[in-house]
Amino acid sequence: MQDDFAFILFRTVQKSKGFLSFICFFALFIGFLSFLCNSVSAAETRVVLKDGRVEVGAIYPVKSVIELPNVKPEKERGVQSQKILIIDDNLRTIYVPKNNILDLSPDEVSASLEVFRIHQRVNRVPSEQVAALGAWRTSVPFDEFGRRTIMAGGTPVVQGITEIAPHYIRAEGLNFYLDMRLSPYSIPRTTLSKLIKKQINPKSLDDRLRIYQFYVQAELYEQAQEELTEIIEDFKEEEGTDSQLEVGLTLIRQLAASRLIDELELRQRAGQYYKVHDLLKSFQETGVSTDKVQAIRRMLLQYEEDARRETELLDQLTALHKAIGNEELRLELTPLLTEINRELNHNTIGRFSEYFLAMHDGAVTDEQRLALALSGWLAGSTGADNRLEFAASLYRTRKLIRRFLLEKLPDARATLFESIRGEEAASPERVSLLLRAMKPPQSTPASARETPLYYQITVPSFDGTQITYYVQLPPEYDPNRKYPTVVTLHGERTTAPMQVDWWCGPWSETTDRKGDPVRERYGQATRNGYIVIAPVWAQRGQKYKATARALAAVLYSLRDANRRFAIDTDRVFLSGHSAGGDATWDIALAHPDLWAGIIPICGAATKFAAELKRNAASLAVYAVGGELDGGKLAASREVLDWGMDLSKPYDMTYVQYRGRGSEAFSDELMKIFEWMALRTRNFFPKEERTVYSLRPWDNFFWCVELTGFPQKYMVDPAFWTRGKVPVDRAAKTEFFKVNANSIKIKSNADRAWIFLTPEYLDFQQKIEVLFNSKKISPSNGMITPSLRTLLEDARTRCDRIHPFHAVLDSARPGIVNPDDSQ
């Protein structure tokens, strides 16, 4: 994915001028220090972060993300704080706040790693260093001598591999001074093996075993097994080696089996039930330890038990349904039984927990058991009820709600609302449970056979134009399950479909469970069970301009996707490359309540994003870039430094690849998914928080929608000419949870709609809500949930997991749910 205008700068310090001179000088200085540091083996440290992640590398404290490691801080004057820590693993430099670290300890494994050094005639002349490297292209792969040519801005840069380690490969410039690091996963095993064999004696068993050990340490177990098989063949004539080498082969099988079990567990968590079952059945037990074989067999037995349990449940429900004495009621519930027969699986069987508890309770009648099963299916186990007529009302209510959520005409919605309100089951509490358990109101459309579960969709924008977005659903997609989601934004020279490919992988030909030919993706989003949404937010070649149109392209696409697909709204991540990374910074900081986290890749946090940096307090950030990215990191320095340097730092990680420019960084995908797996949105934070706004359309956060920001605080993106805008000039909104049942909001806006929910406040007790020091809740403090407010919120905001139950208008204090009184 080559996004920015490709460029490469070769300058001496004396010739440097202006902003680019700073970038060039800085890159030269870093390169010189890297050269010095690489001549000394730094001690490796095992760093455990508070979120559970573990990184290993040499560590250095710094006071900025674009500063050099401060080797001798006592000699510096005027140094403020050094609250940022660099973890250098020779592939990446990872910047994290020191206060986000749980433990530091020496790493004993790194000292025994196999490292192969290769002599190349490298260029280390400082005046010929590559000072900045933009988007670059590889003209040819590495040859058998470890050399290749990359093209940058039309300039050929010849590279040679000088170091091969289990976790990084060092490729240095031969005609220019460039020190680039690559992942061993990015280079074919045949190339690596040939290159390493040139550095050893191929007839020495010890030397050949070093290659095998290298692949084991790199966790490239298939390559390790292939290498060991070749070693066994090459040394079969040597006496006494067969048994020793077979031990190594057994070891690699155990490691591969352990990794397979980990993979199966990951796929189970991702909802890929049939994929896991097929892998279990095809598992080869030969040469695998007993404990691993037993683990696999236990998983297979659990599948058999689950299948038996589901079959028995369906038989029981069918018999209970046939026994219903009321013929009219039995016929009404027949489609519901058909639905359960079609959709019962490992994702939905948990809804029957109340039924299973009542199975052997002699005090519960058959009709009551059936009612518990049907109502549990419709509203989840917490919504189960033992009245069959009530279960039928739940079923009718759900059908009406689905029509209401899709209806575009106000008069038709009003008629549907009256029908819903007439149902016994249509209390706000029960409707909330129905919304959470129901499938998306808009059915999943059929997809093309050539591109299964892949869609191109259009949705109207606020200005009458059409927004296009692309969606890839994960394998075995089930609308009854909630899926984590990535919204990914393309760059200037890439497309939305290319973004989907980056996350999900390209299409590959394979066969399904029946042996029929199908196409499938094998990327990390596919593997981890994520939905990927890629809006077309700009024309090709267009930079990010922070406009309402760009914001609408992202948010309207997400809301429309929520109507169609089973998205877990607490686990939606925003990401983008290059200009899409710029947009990621800006949109996320303008609306921090929407995201579980953000992943800007080669994105710059400038203009509005820089001025809204305090909004990052409510965001988890995982930024990725290249050491020679042409100034992207420098442009984001203000936001990253601010968040990392606080005594209570923000949740921020910045990963910088050594010697790399502006590129896609597929090397980082597995780490990104590990990071995302640890995060979820906190939609109802208990702590006080403040958000800032600079544009009139950035006016909704968590439970409040605002209007009437004073013009002096607002900035039109088309007229960003005054440079920096002091943050105290931005509109400020503060949230205070005074006690368990009181909320206070202060804002520069003159009007607010404040939305309330039982997830945040106890509606059974008195509630106090203040806006700009004025009480707007009723004098008696009692707030009644509104069915109309609940349904309209679910229809417009499309978050069926956290629907709001009541609303207060600061312009009409004391009135709850103003629309109900009209």
Side-chain angles (χ1 to χ4, degrees), residues 232-246:
I232 292 172
E233 177 64 26
D234 292 346
F235 291 88
K236 62 184 177 182
E237 303 298 331
E238 291 196 18
E239 189 175 342
T241 61
D242 287 354
S243 59
Q244 297 176 20
L245 296 177
E246 285 296 334

Side-chain angles (χ1 to χ4, degrees), residues 456-507:
Q456 177 183 343
I457 299 169
T458 58
V459 58
S461 185
F462 66 90
D463 57 2
T465 60
Q466 293 291 313
I467 296 167
T468 299
Y469 69 95
Y470 295 81
V471 176
Q472 178 65 61
L473 302 180
E476 301 180 37
Y477 169 78
D478 180 358
N480 286 302
R481 176 189 178 89
K482 298 292 188 296
Y483 290 87
T485 299
V486 173
V487 178
T488 179
L489 309 181
H490 61 84
E492 298 160 71
R493 299 179 183 277
T494 58
T495 64
M498 290 168 69
Q499 292 295 128
V500 177
D501 290 346
W502 190 82
W503 285 94
C504 301
W507 291 105

Side-chain angles (χ1 to χ4, degrees), residues 498-599:
M498 290 168 69
Q499 292 295 128
V500 177
D501 290 346
W502 190 82
W503 285 94
C504 301
W507 291 105
S508 300
E509 300 292 337
T510 184
T511 56
D512 63 13
R513 301 174 72 236
K514 298 178 181 179
D516 297 328
V518 294
R519 300 185 78 205
E520 190 173 338
R521 298 184 189 262
Y522 292 98
Q524 289 300 320
T526 305
R527 174 175 173 256
N528 286 271
Y530 278 64
I531 294 174
V532 174
I533 300 171
V536 180
W537 64 269
Q539 299 296 319
R540 189 124 187 209
Q542 181 179 328
K543 295 182 181 296
Y544 180 66
K545 298 180 180 178
T547 62
R549 178 68 171 78
L551 175 68
V554 176
L555 298 192
Y556 283 33
S557 296
L558 177 58
R559 288 188 178 182
D560 187 69
N562 270 317
R563 293 187 182 97
R564 300 171 183 269
F565 308 110
I567 292 172
D568 182 349
T569 52
D570 283 334
R571 296 201 58 210
V572 178
F573 297 86
L574 181 64
S575 181
H577 284 81
S578 191
D582 302 348
T584 296
W585 274 116
D586 181 66
I587 293 170
L589 288 170
H591 294 281
D593 58 308
L594 298 178
W595 320 103
I598 65 168
I599 308 104

Side-chain angles (χ1 to χ4, degrees), residues 702-721:
W702 291 285
C703 63
V704 66
E705 184 173 341
L706 304 155
T707 188
F709 287 128
Q711 280 301 310
K712 66 179 181 179
Y713 297 129
M714 299 292 100
V715 181
D716 188 331
F719 300 100
W720 184 276
T721 57

Side-chain angles (χ1 to χ4, degrees), residues 58-78:
I59 61 172
Y60 309 96
V62 293
K63 56 182 179 176
S64 171
V65 293
I66 62 168
E67 274 192 300
L68 299 175
N70 187 12
V71 181
K72 296 181 178 180
E74 69 275 9
K75 291 190 176 181
E76 289 194 12
R77 295 182 180 178

